[in-house]
Amino acid sequence: MDYKDLANLIFPDAKDISYYEEKYPKRDLNEGAIVTRYAPSPTGVMHIGGLYQSLIAKKVAKQTDGVFFLRIEDTDQKREIKNGVEEIVNSLKDFEMTPDEGMISETEEVGNYGPYKQSFRKEIYQSYAKYLIAEGKAYPCFCTPEELDEIRTKQEAAKIRPGYYGVWAKCRTIPVEESIKKIQAGEKYIIRFKSPGREDRKIKHKDVIKGNVDFPENDQDIVIIKSDGLPTYHFAHVVDDHLMGTTHVIRGDEWLSSIPLHLQLFYVMGFKAPKYAHIAPIMKNDNGNKRKLSKRKDPEAAVGYYAEQGIPAKAVNEYLLNIANSNFENWRRQNKEASIDEFELQLNKMSVSGALFDMIKLLDVSKIVISKYSAEEVYNKSIKWAKKYDKELLNLLEDKEYSLKVLGIERGNKKPRKDIAKWSDVKENIEYMYDKVFLNKPQSYEWQVINNKEEIEKIITLYMQKYYNVNDDKQTWFNKIKELAGEMGYAKEVKEFKANPDAYKAHVGDVSTVLRIALTGRANTPDMYEIMQVLGKDSIQKRFEKVM
Ligand code: GLU
């Protein structure tokens, strides 16, 4: 009896690995093409860190005409949530990170290297486990949870490294005949890897992001196939990334310490190891302390937050690139109109310790992104958002023709307005432009320099009687406000007023502020001429009357 008999007894139906090696040939790609993947477990709402990882992974693949795929790692079925795959697939779609291959819904997939969901790959893992057992490089372990507890307790008491290794790896030395007998007698077991490593030897690893790191070799006989027949993450990672042709494993740096094990597994299996790029988590400044962005404490950690707030995916992506590579900002300054696809992301320029996420900066980026949208785009995106999150805004935008005019104010020109950072800002920013809101709501006008009621009424009356003409162009319109100012004893130019403040009641700017507040209820608005063009004579008249 030998290892082969043991392997056949454990996995009688498993195919020879040559079957899979042929079924999934090396990818036919140009030299230098990078193959990456996003490999989440469907265990909860998607985290911004996951989005960050996929953005990076997709970007480096695209830059080299490579492939980016989505693999669902659902081997820990106890932690799975309902519709977990849907959540991931939809988030990637919403953020324009649709993979080239992989799962496209809870059950469907595209690509030739599937299945892309680990629970559908059980036979594949078993074939490779069988191969290792037949080679004497993996073995069944019959230790019960109680026995494992006992080992741990002894190790703790003796203050030595915990784990299943060396003399503690009891089942490693069970003769094949005995293992076969135990299995035939119905004893329960799992499969462990027989590690060839020694803790007193070092391995060197060159991480694409972290640089050179040294580790002790792995000597743990880790579990590769669990009692439910599914693989552990470590084993599945090695088998999958080998068969799927991943060239660069881009993943969270919580896995960095598993590098000795993973490299050893690749080596023992006879596979070429991929390159690894371990991404540090996204950090947040919490009252001067840098800490990880946390799902529990920070609403912005969940990807759904951006949709709820109405922050465009484009802005989030742009901001994530900003924190991924610090030279992005400079690039953007020099390439104002370019698509982010044109930016060359470099993995080795990513932060080793974790990039800082700053909501205010993200919103600034978003303001610029939105300022470049046409009125039509802003309208459509706002409607889409409002349908889900804000019925009042939906109502407001009912009159499309008028709304396009409102949203078109100071847009499409060289210095477009930058007052909208998210769709949830739109209502607040435009509602005063709608008579149904403005005229029906009591206004608490906060007058500024000119705040005497009688004076205000005089300005408005004179303006309407003598100066307002709906057909005036911008220059004429403004000249007339100057005239009005002059006629009422205000300086026509701010300069004149500053040179001789005692000679005037105030200046033309203060007069326009009166008109502005009367028309909009606000001291700060986009261009007043454009506002008046959009409001039209009727509305202007009604708004002025409301003040009186
Ligand atoms: N499923 C693992 C995780 O969610 C993936 C790590 C990897 O990308 O290999 O952490």
Side-chain angles (χ1 to χ4, degrees), residues 13-26 123-132 134-135 239 242-243 269-271:
D13 304 321
K15 292 190 175 69
D16 193 84
I17 59 167
S18 58
Y19 171 81
Y20 296 109
E21 296 292 324
E22 274 161 40
K23 182 169 177 196
Y24 305 109
K26 213 169 161 288
E123 287 122 63
I124 303 181
Y125 306 119
Q126 296 190 347
S127 282
Y128 283 86
K130 180 177 184 177
Y131 161 77
L132 286 180
E135 295 271 310
V239 170
H242 162 68
L243 290 177
M269 307 272 280
F271 305 154

Side-chain angles (χ1 to χ4, degrees), residues 321-335:
L321 279 183
N322 222 305
I323 60 172
N325 269 186
S326 56
N327 54 321
F328 179 86
E329 213 168 332
N330 210 10
W331 174 85
R332 175 49 91 205
R333 221 171 285 130
Q334 282 157 14
N335 301 275

Side-chain angles (χ1 to χ4, degrees), residues 37 39-41 53 71 73 233 237 249-251 254-255:
R37 82 294 191 278
S41 303
Q53 280 179 28
R71 179 173 70 228
E73 306 212 322
Y233 164 70
H237 151 50
V249 169
I250 298 174
R251 62 182 179 186
E254 69 273 24
W255 296 110

